[in-house]
Amino acid sequence: MKGMGKIKALFLLSFLAIVLAGCGKENLTALVPKGTGAETSMNLILLSTLVMVFVFAVVIVVYVIALVRFRKKKGQENYIPKQVEGNKTLETVWTVIPIILVLILAVPTVAATFELADMSKSGDGVNIEVTGNQYWWHFNYKGEEIQTSQDLYIPTGEKVYLNMISSDVIHSLWIPSISGKMDVNPENVNKMYIEAKEEGVYWGKCAELCGPSHSLMDFKVVAVSPEEFDQWVSDMQNVDPKAQPQDAVAQEGKDLFEEKSCMGCHAIGSSPAAVGPNLTDFGNRSKIAGFLEPNEENLVKWIMDPESIKPGNKMTGNYPAVSEEEAKKISAYLMQLKPSDITPESAGK
């Protein structure tokens, strides 16, 4: 910025800060709401912004008037303007106006808080038990015998009720495009509902610093039409965990998956016993380990050295070493686990 005036540089930096603060992917921003919770939050943000702009404008106008009208003039060095101390009209005005502004902010905020915390109709909707783990999310569809990890399928236009707990440390579930965030504690169950208004894939984040790979604790919400959701539920309920792969390499991978004790931590099907992510629909997942592109190269790296991908994860050191050839075969098996045609790629298309 050599040669640029300080004031110009300050304006440029301020402009960039404002613009860059709004950058981000459309499915990972609270500024483009696609769900009830996010829309309510956005409306409150806009309301509070309008109030702040109004207060700022009034202060600036009064400030400028005071500067111009009451500036010291020649021959008035000893002039003292009329004092307004004790003026009842002024004191009433600057007392009543702030009260009105507080009410304008408080009433809709309190109403939104109660509305977003309303779980009275949870028995009529989709109920999902959510468990936060370092560094992944587990979803148990209550009453449906469906377990998934990392990808959360929901129907559009319906409230989906989440009962959330943590298996280890404090996490916080946040889907910026759809809803606000809610802490996920080890000691108690916190509840919230989410509702997506449009089909699509929305990114979720852990919003509580929970360990070395906190920033990699991503998950996806796949919002599909109610009809597609019913089809997905049916497909998931009909998964046979003992089904044999048709491909020979995948069959070898399945055998290795069992020999290497992978089944000790991961489940395929509706079994709730797994201590690692459920892999029933692994082949349909939009990401590997929450953030890697879903291809064989990344999966092989993840299987052979998970610590280099996601430091501090609980998978490291919990199974025998595998060669690259073995990892490729296991990868071939996992990538063919596609129980449904309803996938993140098909959502919203």
Side-chain angles (χ1 to χ4, degrees):
M1 297 182 182
K2 187 176 181 180
M4 181 182 293
K6 291 182 179 179
I7 295 180
K8 289 183 179 179
L10 181 61
F11 272 112
L12 178 60
L13 290 173
S14 301
F15 176 75
L16 289 174
I18 293 173
V19 173
L20 293 176
C23 285
K25 299 182 179 179
E26 185 177 347
N27 54 4
L28 185 61
T29 175
L31 300 180
V32 186
K34 301 291 185 181
T36 302
E39 195 171 83
T40 301
S41 300
M42 190 64 190
N43 290 336
L44 291 175
I45 291 172
L46 292 175
L47 176 63
S48 59
T49 302
L50 287 174
V51 170
M52 287 186 287
V53 169
F54 170 74
V55 172
F56 179 78
V58 169
V59 170
I60 291 298
V61 169
V62 173
Y63 179 68
V64 171
I65 291 175
L67 280 179
V68 174
R69 184 173 179 182
F70 300 108
R71 71 185 187 279
K72 185 182 291 185
K73 300 175 183 174
K74 189 175 181 180
Q76 294 181 339
E77 287 77 5
N78 297 321
Y79 172 75
I80 298 177
K82 180 182 177 182
Q83 301 301 294
V84 295
E85 181 181 359
N87 187 303
K88 293 182 179 178
T89 302
L90 280 178
E91 291 192 355
T92 300
V93 168
W94 61 47
T95 300
V96 171
I97 290 179
I99 291 175
I100 294 174
L101 294 178
V102 169
L103 289 175
I104 291 174
L105 289 172
V107 172
T109 300
V110 172
T113 301
F114 278 96
E115 197 278 329
L116 293 177
D118 181 15
M119 302 288 287
S120 60
K121 297 183 179 178
S122 60
D124 300 330
V126 178
N127 285 263
I128 301 174
E129 295 172 346
V130 179
T131 304
N133 306 274
Q134 288 178 312
Y135 301 96
W136 56 283
W137 297 90
H138 181 75
F139 308 109
N140 174 27
Y141 290 70
K142 192 174 180 181
E144 302 290 355
E145 295 188 350
I146 295 174
Q147 313 268 337
T148 69
S149 299
Q150 299 301 90
D151 282 3
L152 173 64
Y153 284 74
I154 64 171
T156 55
E158 296 182 20
K159 290 183 178 179
V160 177
Y161 296 92
L162 308 180
N163 300 312
M164 305 182 294
I165 196 166
S166 169
S167 69
D168 36 50
V169 301
I170 298 175
H171 302 284
S172 187
L173 185 137
W174 188 25
I175 313 159
S177 298
I178 296 181
S179 70
K181 70 183 183 73
M182 174 72 77
D183 279 358
V184 182
N185 303 317
E187 299 88 3
N188 60 288
V189 175
N190 280 343
K191 301 180 179 182
M192 68 180 293
Y193 74 80
I194 58 176
E195 181 179 12
K197 294 191 172 183
E198 297 180 17
E199 295 181 35
V201 180
Y202 304 101
W203 288 24
K205 287 280 187 180
C206 176
E208 189 75 39
L209 182 59
C210 60
S213 289
H214 153 74
S215 63
L216 306 178
M217 194 172 164
D218 294 358
F219 67 100
K220 308 295 178 295
V221 176
V222 184
V224 297
S225 68
E227 294 77 19
E228 289 177 313
F229 180 74
D230 290 341
Q231 180 61 53
W232 178 82
V233 168
S234 175
D235 292 340
M236 292 293 287
Q237 289 175 330
N238 289 317
V239 168
D240 178 8
K242 296 181 180 178
Q244 300 299 311
Q246 295 182 351
D247 179 76
V249 176
Q251 178 60 58
E252 291 183 54
K254 184 175 186 297
D255 295 338
L256 284 168
F257 190 77
E258 295 172 354
E259 292 171 10
K260 297 293 182 179
S261 304
C262 303
M263 292 295 289
C265 293
H266 299 284
I268 295 173
S270 60
S271 171
V275 295
N278 185 290
L279 303 179
T280 304
D281 63 340
F282 187 88
N284 279 337
R285 282 195 196 169
S286 53
K287 298 291 179 183
I288 293 174
F291 68 102
L292 295 174
E293 290 302 314
N295 56 54
E296 183 177 310
E297 181 182 0
N298 284 333
L299 182 52
V300 168
K301 289 180 181 177
W302 171 241
I303 293 173
M304 295 186 67
D305 188 9
E307 193 65 18
S308 66
I309 304 293
K310 188 177 279 190
N313 76 89
K314 295 179 180 177
M315 183 171 164
T316 301
N318 282 319
Y319 57 93
V322 295
S323 66
E324 183 172 350
E325 189 64 25
E326 291 173 327
K328 287 182 177 178
K329 292 177 180 177
I330 295 173
S331 172
Y333 166 59
L334 295 177
M335 296 296 274
Q336 57 88 52
L337 295 175
K338 299 180 178 180
S340 177
D341 291 332
I342 310 300
T343 67
E345 287 74 22
S346 69
K349 296 180 180 177

